[in-house]
């Protein structure tokens, strides 16, 4: 069982990172808060004896998805959109300090868990098969319908992006 104090600290970091993501006016800072939130969730997965899901969380979400978000932000130029309050740079200062503090707390809690040998569960908790094979079997036997619905939603989102992303040509080229 995880130490309740460690759980509360991890939950506080996750909630604070989520609030930082929502309250930040800079899109790049929001994406970085999202990375911090994904890392916190990965530490939760490690504590819950799911190392495969934790590594997938880090590589897929914190790696690929956030890089995609940052690419879209830079492509659309949303990082240059700033309000009048951001010209003073006072509005961004607390985000930097908050992000550094939350990251240090997350690293400290993770280090504490590693030193305590508590990552991966204790001897009192039942061992769950968290291998990729067991995850795939559970996913395709017990959760087929939600898996398919998620696939259809992602396909609809991709089609929507392609349709809304097209620029309409005007003039003589529009024959």
């Amino acid at each position: 069982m995880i130490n309740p104090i460690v759980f509360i600290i991890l939950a506080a970091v996750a909630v604070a990172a989520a609030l930082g993501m929502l309250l930040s006016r800079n899109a790049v800072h929001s994406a970085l808060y999202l990375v911090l939130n994904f890392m916190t969730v990965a530490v939760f997965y490690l504590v819950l004896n799911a190392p495969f899901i934790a590594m997938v969380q880090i590589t897929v979400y914190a790696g690929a998805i956030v890089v995609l978000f940052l690419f879209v932000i830079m492509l659309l130029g949303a990082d240059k959109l700033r309000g009048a309050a951001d010209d003073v740079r006072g509005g961004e200062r607390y985000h930097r300090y908050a992000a550094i503090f939350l990251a240090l707390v997350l690293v400290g809690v993770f280090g504490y868990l590693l030193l305590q040998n508590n990552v991966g569960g204790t001897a009192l908790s039942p061992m769950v098969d968290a291998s990729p094979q067991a995850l795939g079997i559970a996913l395709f036997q017990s959760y087929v319908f939600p898996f398919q619905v998620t696939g259809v939603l992602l396909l609809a989102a991709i089609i929507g992006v392609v349709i809304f992303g097209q620029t309409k040509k005007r003039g003589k080229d529009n024959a």
Side-chain angles (χ1 to χ4, degrees):
M1 193 72 182
I2 185 171
N3 187 350
I5 301 296
V6 172
F7 178 79
I8 291 171
I9 292 172
L10 278 174
V13 170
V15 169
L19 287 174
M21 181 192 70
L22 292 174
L23 298 176
S24 178
R25 292 184 180 178
N26 189 337
V28 175
H29 292 167
S30 289
L32 293 176
Y33 275 116
L34 186 62
V35 169
L36 182 62
N37 195 317
F38 286 156
M39 292 296 183
T40 307
V41 171
V43 172
F44 271 122
Y45 284 138
L46 282 176
V47 168
L48 294 172
N49 193 23
F52 176 72
I53 299 296
M55 294 306 115
V56 168
Q57 174 79 18
I58 291 172
T59 56
V60 172
Y61 289 111
I65 299 298
V66 173
V67 168
L68 180 66
F69 285 170
L70 288 173
F71 176 71
V72 170
I73 289 168
M74 297 299 177
L75 182 69
L76 296 176
D79 61 327
K80 294 179 178 75
L81 298 176
R82 300 192 188 264
D86 288 339
D87 291 338
V88 183
R89 295 203 35 99
E92 295 177 4
R93 185 174 304 149
Y94 78 91
H95 284 291
R96 181 176 297 128
Y97 296 135
I100 290 171
F101 173 73
L102 291 173
L104 288 175
V105 169
L106 178 64
V107 168
V109 167
F110 186 68
Y112 172 76
L113 289 173
L114 283 177
L115 291 176
Q116 217 182 17
N117 291 330
N118 199 16
V119 175
T122 61
L124 299 176
S125 64
M127 293 299 292
V128 177
D129 188 10
S131 67
Q133 294 85 5
L135 179 67
I137 289 171
L139 184 66
F140 289 114
Q141 284 182 351
S142 303
Y143 301 103
V144 173
F145 183 70
F147 187 75
Q148 294 297 325
V149 169
T150 304
V152 169
L153 287 174
L154 289 174
L155 179 65
I158 291 170
I159 291 171
V161 166
V162 169
I163 289 173
F164 290 127
Q166 290 180 343
T167 58
K168 297 190 180 199
K169 296 181 181 179
R170 296 184 184 182
K172 297 178 183 176
D173 294 333
N174 200 9

